[in-house]
Amino acid sequence: MLTDRIERTAQEKLRPVYEKRREVLKEIPKFWPVALMNSEIFSFHAVHQDDQHALSYLEDLWIVREPAESRAFTLEFVSVDCCDDACCGNG
């Protein structure tokens, strides 16, 4: 489909911009936890204190798009090691 091809081409061209932005954002302390909790939709689903505690360990978030389907993607979360198993629901 033409729109899928256009979307994939745009994603390929923007990848270097996103990678540069990713490096800049890593220098801003707690960027992702603050940004996500400022999202009305996300914060609605992360109301539990344990969710917010686990989110505080988030260092990076990256979207990996599926090559065959531009609307399909995987979210990759990168976090520092939790200081205890309870922060990730293991305790």
Side-chain angles (χ1 to χ4, degrees):
M1 189 172 208
L2 179 60
T3 56
D4 286 338
R5 194 168 6 139
I6 293 170
E7 182 70 25
R8 280 193 299 276
T9 301
Q11 290 168 6
E12 290 170 14
K13 290 183 185 259
L14 288 171
R15 186 172 178 86
V17 173
Y18 294 144
E19 289 172 347
K20 183 174 175 102
R21 180 182 68 182
R22 183 182 202 185
E23 293 305 315
V24 170
L25 294 180
K26 285 182 181 179
E27 301 299 318
I28 302 172
K30 303 287 184 197
F31 175 83
W32 284 113
V34 170
L36 290 172
M37 288 309 293
N38 281 327
S39 162
E40 188 174 315
I41 294 171
F42 188 90
S43 64
F44 176 79
H45 294 286
V47 294
H48 196 276
Q49 186 176 2
D50 288 342
D51 296 334
Q52 295 172 14
H53 178 71
L55 188 62
S56 72
Y57 292 93
L58 183 62
E59 286 188 334
D60 191 20
L61 184 139
W62 190 249
I63 298 173
V64 178
R65 302 258 181 199
E66 296 295 325
E69 173 56 64
S70 63
R71 294 171 292 176
F73 60 89
T74 301
L75 292 175
E76 292 181 353
F77 295 91
V78 179
S79 64
V80 294
D81 290 334
C82 297
C83 57
D84 59 31
D85 285 338
C87 79
C88 297
N90 297 327

